[in-house]
Amino acid sequence: MLFRSCITFAIAWGGPGPPPEGPFEFCPPHEADSSLSEPVSEILLDPSFGTDGKVMTQLGSKGLATTVVIQPDGKIIAAGHGPGGDAVLARYNTDGSLDATFGDAGVSTLSLGFELFVHDLALQADGQIVIAGFSWDLFDFVTTRFTAQGQLDTEFGVGGVVQTDFSDNDAAKALAIQPDGKILVGGDTGNGSALVRYHSDGSLDTTFGNGGVVVDGFGSGSRRGGKDIAIQDDGKIVVGGGGDLRRYNADGSLDASFGTGGIVARGGNNFILQHDGKIVALGANGLTRYNPDGSLDLGFGFGDGISVWGGRVGSTDLALDEQGNIVVLGNGFTVQRFTAEGHRDGRATTDFSSWPDSSYGVAIQADGSIVVVGGYRTDFFTPGFALARYQVIEPEGASNEGTGGETAEAFSEVGSFLALTPDVFNPATFDAVSAQQTEPDTPRPDAVQDDTVDLALTELTSDDEQDDGTDYQIGRAHV
């Protein structure tokens, strides 16, 4: 029987008699997590996409997709870097083949005479495509627009390009398009961060901030500015960066009704807006959900507003599906799905080559399929775009066959305990933890099958002795 958030592990048994037969599935949800006996979804590569769910588009000596959007017709647009520092857009049909009606046989390349690192893209209502990034040569915000057919829109800015300079060290990182067609671009500056609003033709909207620009100090004034932008239904603007969340009024002033003076400190960088206006933010160790006023939503995750991200890899992006489920992307094409309540619900990792692959962007199709983009490697190079599409197979009934979470063998002998070392469970809370088999006659809930034993989480003292004052029932093992 599969339980949500399980870890499959091997043991070193120190108790009397022979050890119980493994493998074990260690399930460590918080006591407030009611999903203990709920099965997880399966996340599988979609065989109808590309080759066994994967697509590789070679661009030359260098190529990497950093961001992705799904068109209303289901076609996929990926953007990133190409050879010589060119910006590259590629559009794919729903089966993963390149769309020959876009650009040059499905690929559009923009050469500006300097390297352009694309960080974000967005679709306008008319199908035109806006991308934002920066140049190591110029250190300016660079925003460009393409037609729906993949041609540079020369009516935007100057010849299709807008460059905005704030300091000698600027980098655009995030992009959003308002319902009225105005374009918001955020990112780093040498002074902290900047948020810019342009008219649809690329000219600065001088009604916003100071002449179209808001310069702020994210992360105590460090150069860690806007990494994510979203526009609420009421026109207010949420920006994440420097570990903080900030909300601005439509005119660029901070919204004092959000957090403390418009700021939720240490709120996160990347985030998504839920359909009910709540904000789910991605931090180094987990997801946090905030109410529309910036306060923690205690109904999320472990009952404290937090859901642990168990990927143990750098988290790079997240997305929301129509049912409110949350998908978190980790580097190396690792996908972790969470329910709308913050319970972990399936995970997948995909390899494109024997070298470490990189993933940077995730989007969810209308049918719930998950599209991830990044780069595949050959030797020390990433010569092209890599895409993977996953199907989510939600379980039927209360059980599901399959394997548990990641394999871990970080256990040691501590008396009659199955001792779990702190890097596997929660180093912020425990110096060491252990899972102990309960007595055979211990009553079990009806939902627990006969082939399971209860596990208890026990905090250990520094000399590896059990601390009898701290004992938590947290999961079950399948034996």
Side-chain angles (χ1 to χ4, degrees), residues 313-314 316 329-335 348-351 356-360 390:
V313 291
T316 56
L329 176 63
N331 199 5
F333 281 83
T334 298
V335 175
T349 299
T350 299
D351 291 323
D357 305 308
S358 301
S359 55
Y360 292 97
Y390 303 91

Side-chain angles (χ1 to χ4, degrees), residues 91-254:
R91 188 163 72 190
Y92 300 85
N93 297 309
T94 56
D95 63 359
S97 61
L98 283 167
D99 177 8
T101 68
F102 183 84
D104 181 7
V107 178
S108 184
T109 302
L110 176 62
S111 299
L112 295 175
F114 54 81
E115 285 192 296
L116 177 58
F117 293 86
V118 177
H119 270 273
D120 206 358
L121 83 158
L123 286 178
Q124 294 187 169
D126 60 2
Q128 294 194 102
I129 306 155
V130 182
I131 65 174
F134 72 97
S135 166
W136 286 117
D137 300 315
L138 303 177
F139 291 102
D140 291 341
F141 278 27
V142 179
T143 307
T144 67
R145 188 166 69 195
F146 292 79
T147 68
Q149 293 74 40
Q151 307 301 321
L152 188 65
D153 178 13
T154 57
E155 295 183 1
F156 180 78
V158 178
V161 180
V162 172
Q163 294 177 223
T164 304
D165 181 32
F166 307 96
S167 67
D168 59 356
N169 205 3
D170 307 322
K173 299 287 185 69
L175 170 68
I177 298 176
Q178 296 185 170
D180 61 3
K182 292 181 179 180
I183 300 166
L184 285 161
V185 178
D188 305 335
T189 76
N191 301 318
S193 69
L195 182 63
V196 189
R197 190 162 72 191
Y198 304 100
H199 291 293
S200 60
D201 63 358
S203 60
L204 283 170
D205 175 11
T206 57
T207 67
F208 182 79
N210 182 11
V213 178
V214 173
V215 176
D216 232 332
F218 276 84
S220 302
S222 62
R223 185 179 174 271
R224 301 175 183 174
K227 293 186 177 180
D228 217 344
I229 302 173
I231 301 164
Q232 297 185 168
D233 291 340
D234 60 3
K236 292 182 178 181
I237 304 158
V238 183
V239 179
D244 299 343
L245 292 174
R246 300 190 178 205
R247 191 166 70 192
Y248 297 89
N249 296 308
D251 63 359
S253 60
L254 279 170

Side-chain angles (χ1 to χ4, degrees), residues 27 29 54 99 126 149 191 208 238 267 285 309 329 342 351 404 409 413 454 470 474:
C27 309
K54 298 185 286 187
D99 177 8
D126 60 2
Q149 293 74 40
N191 301 318
F208 182 79
V238 183
N285 297 313
W309 157 241
L329 176 63
D351 291 323
E409 296 186 359
E413 180 177 325
D454 293 337
T470 310
I474 65 162

Side-chain angles (χ1 to χ4, degrees), residues 60 84 109 277 378 444:
T109 302
T378 58
R444 301 191 181 106

Side-chain angles (χ1 to χ4, degrees), residues 17-53:
E21 295 181 2
F24 290 87
E25 287 175 354
F26 182 70
C27 309
H30 189 277
E31 286 183 301
D33 187 350
S34 62
S35 65
L36 181 62
S37 60
E38 294 178 16
V40 297
S41 298
E42 291 184 274
I43 301 177
L44 306 173
L45 285 168
D46 180 358
S48 70
F49 183 77
T51 302
D52 297 325

Side-chain angles (χ1 to χ4, degrees), residues 64-102:
L64 181 70
T66 56
T67 181
V68 59
V69 295
I70 310 294
Q71 292 189 167
D73 62 1
K75 292 183 178 181
I76 301 163
I77 300 177
H81 326 314
D86 294 342
V88 177
L89 292 174
R91 188 163 72 190
Y92 300 85
N93 297 309
T94 56
D95 63 359
S97 61
L98 283 167
D99 177 8
T101 68
F102 183 84

